[in-house]
Amino acid sequence: MKKLSELQIGEKGILSSVEDDFLEQQLLEMGVTPGQVIELERKSPFKDPISILVSNLLLSVRLSDADKIIINIENE
Amino acid sequence: MSSKTMKIALAGNPNSGKSTLFNSLTGLNQQVGNYPGITVDKKTGTCNLSSEIKAEIIDLPGTYSLYPKSLDEKVSQDILCDITNLDYPEVTVIIADSSNLRKSLLLLTQIIDLKMKVVLALNMLDVSRDLGIVIDKDVLSEELGIPVVSINARKHEGLQNLKDIILDVSTPKKTIFSVSTLFPVLIAEGNNIRGKENDYATFLSLCKQKLNNNSAVKIKLEVLSKDEGFNPTRSLATETVRRYKEIDKILAKCIGENIALIKRNFTKRIDDLLLHPVLGYLFFLLVLFFVFQAIFSWSQLPMEWIDNGFSFFSNWVATNLPQGMLNDLIVNGILAGLGGIMIFVPQIAFLFAFIAFLEDTGYMARVSFITDKILRGFGLNGRSIIPLLSGAACAVPAIMSARTISSSKERLITIFVVPLMSCSARLPVYTLIISMMIPETASWGMFNVQGLVMMAFYLLGFIAALLTAFVLKFIINQKEKGYYVMEMPSYKIPDYKTVIYTIIEKVKVFLFDAGKIIIAISIVLWVLSSYAPSGAFDRIEQEYANVENAEVVVPSKKLEVSYAGMIGKSIEPAIKPLGFDWRIGISLITSFAAREVFVGTMSTIYSVGGTDIYSIKQKLKSAKNLETGEVFFTTAVGISLMLFYAFSMQCMSTIAVVYRETKGWKWPLIQLLYMSVLAYMSSFIAYSILS
């Protein structure tokens, strides 16, 4: 278990849960549902926001939001 | 001849090609109106579905679902979920980006489950096929129980087929996800209370969403959800997850995916450059440079044409129509006002050409990505950077471009602070005063002092804008939660038609919505400076008829006794602490039309007889303080005056456009008050210290 904000660039994980109802709903609507693979693609020059790749979708997420997104890391 | 009109709604995710389809269907038969009471623009248009049937198409704001979280989404939800809504469609067309079908299906299946007539338009199926995504649209149509059409909105392909199917569509037979499996008792009870057998509509009503329920029903539903311990937020989340499970089942049957990496690699490679810590900002600066060039210099030529065209026409009217008050009203009131509106068109066109182009390529989302962190501290976000910096050229298009900011709080803050940026209309005022106070040859090391002072004032505007934004961050409370998870669309070649339609739309909105107010204010200002208490003008004409330079002295004296002059004189006690006298007072009144009018009015009042900076400068330099007889334009007065123009809202077009963009008088008036107080205080402090 890791927070999305703790992922390294290029690291992948599986979405476990989101600890904020509003944020969760927003991610769900964009098709980011539990069980999907999330990859941290890039950090912006000031390390915040970050961009994540979920299925074919590239999303920009603020670090404060990424703190609330819990990721399951495989093969740890 | 069309005899019947059918209401069609166009809905879909952001970046799905919705606007392109709307433009392809309606062409120029479109208009922008208002939804009552909110700031979201309502875009509607018409097209012919067949020789007999006409369609009235409403382009709903991009949305991911029917759960409203932002104002834009609420509009879509209000219309689609409320049969009594005036815009309730007979048929809804959902447009989906074929390369990202999954997330489009959430909204689509919700609409299917509401039992509304709906058609799915798969956009750019050919492109997604090239990327390795194969969609079997017949199976998809079978699984969803609704018609599915393949289109290419940009190339106008498949549109006739889409129209034929719209005419033929029936209510969906399938239910994609039945909410009653989650909440059987609750939904059954809810259906009873609402008196309608529509599970999904009842579910959305229970989630406290406005669904055409009269208040008695609403209260009963609230009681019901309390009794059953129904938690709307959690239930929505559960429902979305379950709905996606159904969607994934459907997609598994009709999509053969080779994991499209081609496009992603392409986008990633460009991102490596454009989001690079150094190169990324350099590229952004280059883009800004072009935006500035466009609004500052490329638009100068068309602006000159407009200006010359209007002066030519005004002269023609002035000499060819019978002389008198009416002639004067047309020339100096209406035509001057119209000219003052038209002059903004080139700047608006250029700025929006750039914005539409950058937005369509996918680059705007990247600008937001690299600037968000810096601006966030000031209550702004990455989307504020273009409006804010464009404000240094002209606040009018800049404020209009704040439309791309999705969070309403941050958009409001951006609109509020943009006019503090030193725009190009302040240049003539700054130039005049600086050249009067500081000798051209003055230098400070290798730098020209005039240039340094000019730069200082630009910086001052920028700092004031940021500080104001920072303070507003704590004052304005957020009605809706912000949307910070944003899609970064794949790069694509922009569609020139989208750019052109955007320009036309923005120019129309400005001319017709803001234009009315500008004309009205312009006429009021004309009345103030062309009328005087009875007999005052005659007296002046007789008194000064035979003096030397009568042709410049008479207008000067006339302005002095006009209503504008009277107001200028009566506010003298108020502006005296700033070092201003009634002559500047009059200029403040007249230059409310636009800041650069200051120069013209000063020229009239001081009987310069020309508007070139050099002769005005000479005349003003020799101006005496009317009480003490000493030189009037001291450094203290100059600085005070420049500060006043830096901060005050001396621009009726800005007020009109803020009114248009915030859909009400509240914000433009607060802004006017704030900027006036800020201008007054800073001038007062500067003058007190320097004099």
Side-chain angles (χ1 to χ4, degrees):
Chain A
M1 291 289 197
K2 249 187 189 180
K3 290 175 180 172
L4 175 61
S5 53
E6 294 163 350
L7 249 55
Q8 303 295 311
I9 291 174
E11 199 177 354
K12 285 179 191 173
I14 288 175
L15 176 61
S16 164
S17 62
V18 181
E19 295 173 335
D20 177 289
D21 286 342
F22 180 79
L23 180 67
E24 180 186 20
Q25 190 58 33
Q26 197 179 331
L27 288 167
L28 285 177
E29 283 173 25
M30 290 172 142
V32 185
T33 47
Q36 275 194 309
V37 178
I38 294 187
E39 177 185 346
L40 180 69
E41 175 167 300
R42 193 184 302 273
K43 292 179 178 177
S44 80
F46 290 95
K47 311 282 176 232
D48 179 15
I50 56 173
S51 69
I52 56 169
L53 191 62
V54 191
S55 62
N56 210 11
L57 197 65
L58 188 63
L59 297 175
S60 148
V61 181
R62 284 186 175 179
L63 217 52
S64 54
D65 286 339
D67 266 339
K68 297 173 194 146
I69 300 173
I70 309 298
I71 302 290
N72 241 332
I73 307 287
E74 280 176 308
N75 314 325
E76 237 174 341
Chain B
M1 269 303 286
S2 297
S3 53
K4 189 179 169 260
T5 307
M6 200 171 171
K7 276 189 180 154
I8 311 285
L10 204 56
N13 293 168
N15 306 311
S16 57
K18 196 169 53 65
S19 302
T20 316
L21 176 60
F22 180 70
N23 290 335
S24 298
L25 284 172
T26 61
L28 284 172
N29 298 319
Q30 44 176 275
Q31 57 194 54
V32 181
N34 295 325
Y35 294 110
I38 50 168
T39 54
V40 180
D41 272 342
K42 175 180 177 180
K43 281 173 80 176
T44 52
T46 54
C47 79
N48 290 320
L49 290 175
S50 70
S51 49
E52 291 90 34
I53 301 176
K54 208 172 161 181
E56 196 188 299
I57 304 177
I58 177 161
D59 182 21
L60 296 174
T63 171
Y64 291 101
S65 75
L66 284 179
Y67 320 123
K69 291 190 303 306
S70 69
L71 268 182
D72 277 6
E73 293 184 327
K74 198 176 165 318
V75 167
S76 301
Q77 195 250 356
D78 280 349
I79 291 173
L80 295 176
C81 293
D82 181 0
I83 291 189
T84 60
N85 192 300
L86 284 177
D87 297 307
Y88 185 79
E90 283 170 64
V91 176
T92 304
V93 175
I94 300 283
I95 178 162
D97 174 2
S98 300
S99 55
N100 232 317
L101 186 57
R102 187 172 180 263
K103 68 179 168 56
S104 299
L105 292 190
L106 179 69
L107 177 66
L108 174 72
T109 61
Q110 288 185 309
I111 290 174
I112 294 176
D113 288 348
L114 281 173
K115 313 227 170 293
M116 299 173 72
K117 290 182 182 177
V118 59
V119 180
L120 172 63
L122 283 181
N123 197 18
M124 297 191 291
L125 203 54
D126 47 342
V127 176
S128 68
R129 198 176 299 128
D130 293 345
L131 293 173
I133 304 170
V134 184
I135 301 171
D136 188 330
K137 87 176 164 61
D138 296 331
V139 176
L140 183 62
S141 166
E142 176 69 32
E143 290 292 323
L144 292 169
I146 56 151
V148 177
V149 193
S150 162
I151 62 159
N152 186 322
R154 229 186 243 203
K155 294 183 188 158
H156 289 248
E157 285 166 10
L159 297 190
Q160 191 52 49
N161 192 15
L162 175 64
K163 290 177 183 176
D164 293 343
I165 284 175
I166 289 174
L167 289 169
D168 200 40
V169 67
S170 52
T171 312
K173 290 157 207 74
K174 286 197 175 184
T175 300
I176 305 297
F177 173 66
S178 168
V179 273
S180 57
T181 56
L182 283 178
F183 313 98
V185 184
L186 193 77
I187 299 291
E189 285 283 317
N191 274 344
N192 278 339
I193 293 174
R194 294 180 69 244
K196 285 181 195 111
E197 279 297 314
N198 191 328
D199 291 359
Y200 199 56
T202 297
F203 175 72
L204 290 180
S205 300
L206 281 165
C207 293
K208 293 237 175 74
Q209 316 204 7
K210 182 187 155 243
L211 261 187
N212 180 33
N213 291 324
N214 53 47
S215 50
V217 170
K218 208 167 220 162
I219 291 165
K220 279 187 188 167
L221 286 178
E222 271 166 30
V223 172
L224 174 68
S225 74
K226 216 173 231 164
D227 289 350
E228 295 280 325
F230 179 74
N231 177 340
T233 318
R234 294 311 317 153
S235 309
L236 273 182
T238 315
E239 194 251 348
T240 313
V241 172
R242 292 292 296 271
R243 191 170 281 282
Y244 264 115
K245 282 194 176 142
E246 297 304 317
I247 291 171
D248 286 335
K249 274 185 217 162
I250 294 172
L251 286 177
K253 288 179 198 163
C254 57
I255 279 200
E257 201 167 351
N258 294 334
I259 308 298
L261 286 171
I262 312 161
K263 196 177 182 184
R264 279 243 33 87
N265 280 340
F266 173 66
T267 290
K268 195 172 178 181
R269 269 208 302 276
I270 299 183
D271 272 346
D272 284 341
L273 288 175
L274 298 189
L275 302 179
H276 187 273
V278 179
L279 296 177
Y281 290 107
L282 280 180
F283 182 80
F284 179 53
L285 281 179
L286 189 72
V287 169
L288 275 181
F289 172 76
F290 274 105
V291 172
F292 259 75
Q293 278 294 308
I295 352 187
F296 251 122
S297 25
W298 301 347
S299 56
Q300 285 310 308
L301 195 62
M303 283 168 82
E304 263 169 43
W305 294 339
I306 292 170
D307 201 24
N308 291 339
F310 267 93
S311 8
F312 179 81
F313 188 57
S314 296
N315 279 334
W316 184 86
V317 171
T319 45
N320 285 283
L321 285 189
Q323 296 301 309
M325 255 343 187
L326 183 66
N327 182 315
D328 201 36
L329 168 68
I330 292 171
V331 173
N332 294 318
I334 296 169
L335 282 181
L338 271 178
I341 298 164
M342 293 298 292
I343 202 87
F344 286 105
V345 170
Q347 289 179 326
I348 292 173
F350 273 117
L351 181 60
F352 279 99
F354 270 102
I355 287 177
F357 179 87
L358 295 175
E359 192 81 61
D360 215 32
T361 53
Y363 181 61
M364 282 300 254
R366 271 73 184 182
V367 171
S368 188
F369 189 69
I370 60 171
T371 56
D372 184 70
K373 174 79 179 176
I374 313 166
L375 292 165
R376 203 186 305 164
F378 296 103
L380 304 167
N381 75 21
R383 292 262 159 173
S384 312
I385 191 82
I386 296 271
L388 195 61
L389 295 177
S390 308
C394 179
V396 169
I399 286 170
M400 291 172 76
S401 72
R403 183 61 51 110
T404 55
I405 304 169
S406 53
S407 147
S408 64
K409 175 177 174 177
E410 287 161 1
R411 173 160 174 254
L412 196 57
I413 295 180
T414 308
I415 290 176
F416 198 93
V417 303
V418 158
L420 287 166
M421 300 289 289
S422 278
C423 66
S424 57
R426 284 168 173 102
L427 259 177
V429 182
Y430 288 170
T431 312
L432 174 66
I433 301 170
I434 288 178
S435 67
M436 216 162 60
M437 292 188 323
I438 302 160
E440 231 166 286
T441 48
S443 63
W444 195 57
M446 54 182 289
F447 299 105
N448 176 295
V449 177
Q450 288 192 342
L452 282 176
V453 173
M454 183 73 95
M455 199 183 80
F457 270 84
Y458 266 85
L459 260 175
L460 195 66
F462 186 58
I463 293 167
L466 286 183
L467 288 181
T468 305
F470 182 75
V471 174
L472 284 176
K473 185 173 106 171
F474 300 101
I475 295 177
I476 297 178
N477 57 1
Q478 188 123 1
K479 286 195 200 97
E480 50 174 310
K481 289 202 182 173
Y483 229 128
Y484 297 118
V485 177
M486 263 179 293
E487 250 188 276
M488 303 227 274
S490 298
Y491 288 107
K492 64 177 173 44
I493 294 167
D495 181 18
Y496 74 94
K497 275 179 279 174
T498 307
V499 175
I500 291 169
Y501 281 115
T502 308
I503 295 174
I504 294 174
E505 181 198 322
K506 294 297 167 184
V507 167
K508 259 162 104 179
V509 159
F510 175 74
L511 290 184
F512 297 118
D513 289 7
K516 288 181 286 203
I517 297 164
I518 299 176
I519 290 273
I521 301 177
S522 169
I523 291 175
V524 170
L525 289 175
W526 168 78
V527 169
L528 290 180
S529 52
S530 340
Y531 281 85
S534 65
F537 281 173
D538 295 339
R539 216 173 47 243
I540 295 288
E541 270 175 34
Q542 282 163 14
E543 198 175 325
Y544 293 93
N546 298 317
V547 297
E548 211 184 332
N549 291 332
E551 72 282 0
V552 291
V553 174
V554 170
S556 157
K557 294 292 172 191
K558 271 187 166 178
L559 185 56
E560 190 182 328
V561 298
S562 71
Y563 287 110
M566 289 167 70
I567 297 174
K569 284 187 171 171
S570 65
I571 62 170
E572 194 181 51
I575 56 176
K576 206 161 188 186
L578 315 184
F580 306 163
D581 63 1
W582 58 267
R583 292 177 297 197
I584 292 178
I586 297 176
S587 304
L588 292 183
I589 306 286
T590 56
S591 68
F592 185 69
R595 295 177 178 92
E596 66 269 25
V597 173
F598 172 81
V599 178
T601 303
M602 289 301 270
S603 149
T604 307
I605 288 191
Y606 285 94
S607 320
V608 179
T611 49
D612 66 296
I613 293 274
Y614 185 76
S615 35
I616 300 173
K617 191 178 94 181
Q618 291 311 316
K619 195 87 182 188
L620 294 190
K621 261 187 169 171
S622 59
K624 293 284 183 289
N625 186 316
L626 294 173
E627 282 168 16
T628 61
E630 287 164 18
V631 174
F632 179 70
F633 279 100
T634 57
T635 309
V637 172
I639 296 280
S640 166
L641 196 54
M642 279 174 71
L643 278 171
F644 195 88
Y645 270 88
F647 295 138
S648 71
M649 172 72 103
Q650 293 283 99
C651 179
M652 61 178 178
S653 307
T654 303
I655 292 180
V657 92
V658 172
Y659 166 78
R660 167 61 181 69
E661 291 297 311
T662 61
K663 305 269 166 83
W665 282 111
K666 180 184 168 192
W667 287 105
L669 291 179
I670 293 178
Q671 199 174 24
L672 175 63
L673 185 71
Y674 168 73
M675 291 179 71
S676 306
V677 170
L678 183 66
Y680 191 92
M681 293 310 290
S682 21
S683 291
F684 175 71
I685 293 168
Y687 184 71
S688 308
I689 294 172
L690 292 172
S691 67

